[in-house]
Amino acid sequence: MNELIKVANQNGKLVVSSREVAENFEKRHDHVIRDIDILIDSMGSPQNWGNLFISTEYTHDQNNQRYREYLLTRDGFTLLAMGFTGKKALEWKLKYIDAFNKMEASLRQTIPTMSQAELTAMIAQNQVAIEKTANMALEVANRADKQINNALDVFASPPDKEWRQSMNSRLRGMCQQYGLNYPVFF
């Protein structure tokens, strides 16, 4: 088994190639691709698996032919490797976890630390954004509640002598509120 695990940075995501997985687990690459395809089919829409597996291709040096491969994020690798068993699988899983942890620690050291004032300002900005969103949601909910109450008034009003005129008036008001045409019923 290789001592070095090749973890790469792909558009800000730490990934490993399905070919690297096949090599280190001593599996055929087409079997690894098959296992990933089965996982993807089981998960359904791309939003369920898009952050786990990145579909791509590579060119084989000998014959210049293009082949499928996947780039696996940490979570994608973990999901796939959970199904692998045996001593080699355990050793590789431990090495992979160690490699990701080292890479993560290295990245954290390069990120500048924020001062207390910067952190407080960032939290305040986020809080303002949350409050604005909450207020907008409350306004929408209040408008919906008013519209529901108007509709209930129309359909739950007790019948009286002039119920048709009353219903026409209320329905006309609702239609005007939404810019709809309202035919008068007799």
Side-chain angles (χ1 to χ4, degrees):
M1 179 181 303
N2 293 342
E3 291 302 311
L4 180 64
I5 297 171
K6 297 173 188 166
V7 178
N9 188 330
Q10 174 80 16
N11 297 327
K13 291 182 181 180
L14 300 179
V15 295
V16 65
S17 163
S18 55
R19 291 183 292 150
E20 180 79 13
V21 172
E23 180 182 328
N24 281 278
F25 280 98
E26 297 179 356
K27 293 184 175 287
R28 288 179 36 169
H29 185 239
D30 61 323
H31 289 179
V32 172
I33 293 290
R34 177 202 60 206
D35 292 345
I36 294 170
D37 287 338
I38 289 169
L39 287 170
I40 287 172
D41 287 342
S42 298
M43 288 185 275
S45 69
Q47 63 201 28
N48 294 336
W49 59 265
N51 292 326
L52 303 173
F53 308 107
I54 302 165
S55 181
T56 187
E57 294 181 334
Y58 70 97
T59 303
H60 195 277
D61 293 334
Q62 294 173 352
N63 57 12
N64 231 11
Q65 190 171 351
R66 300 188 62 78
Y67 296 96
R68 289 178 58 210
E69 78 173 323
Y70 284 102
L71 300 177
L72 291 73
T73 64
R74 175 193 242 171
D75 293 342
F77 167 79
T78 303
L79 183 62
L80 177 67
M82 278 191 273
F84 295 161
T85 59
K87 185 176 180 183
K88 282 207 178 286
L90 177 60
E91 289 173 12
W92 205 85
K93 289 177 201 179
L94 292 171
K95 285 182 183 181
Y96 198 79
I97 289 168
D98 185 51
F100 262 114
N101 288 338
K102 286 178 182 174
M103 177 81 73
E104 190 174 41
S106 171
L107 288 173
R108 284 189 181 170
Q109 288 175 354
T110 62
I111 297 173
T113 58
M114 293 181 150
S115 69
Q116 186 66 33
E118 291 171 322
L119 185 59
T120 303
M122 185 179 76
I123 291 171
Q125 287 174 344
N126 286 341
Q127 187 63 33
V128 167
I130 290 169
E131 286 179 21
K132 283 182 181 178
T133 303
N135 286 337
M136 287 177 11
L138 185 60
E139 287 177 25
V140 169
N142 285 339
R143 282 195 305 262
D145 190 44
K146 184 177 178 182
Q147 292 167 356
I148 289 169
N149 285 335
N150 287 343
L152 287 175
D153 285 346
V154 169
F155 296 109
S157 62
D160 57 12
K161 291 180 181 179
E162 299 179 13
W163 69 271
R164 285 185 190 195
Q165 183 179 1
S166 175
M167 289 297 250
N168 278 326
S169 174
R170 289 180 182 177
L171 288 171
R172 189 178 308 107
M174 286 175 58
C175 289
Q176 285 174 348
Q177 181 180 359
Y178 298 106
L180 303 172
N181 292 329
Y182 177 72
V184 176
F185 297 103
F186 295 98

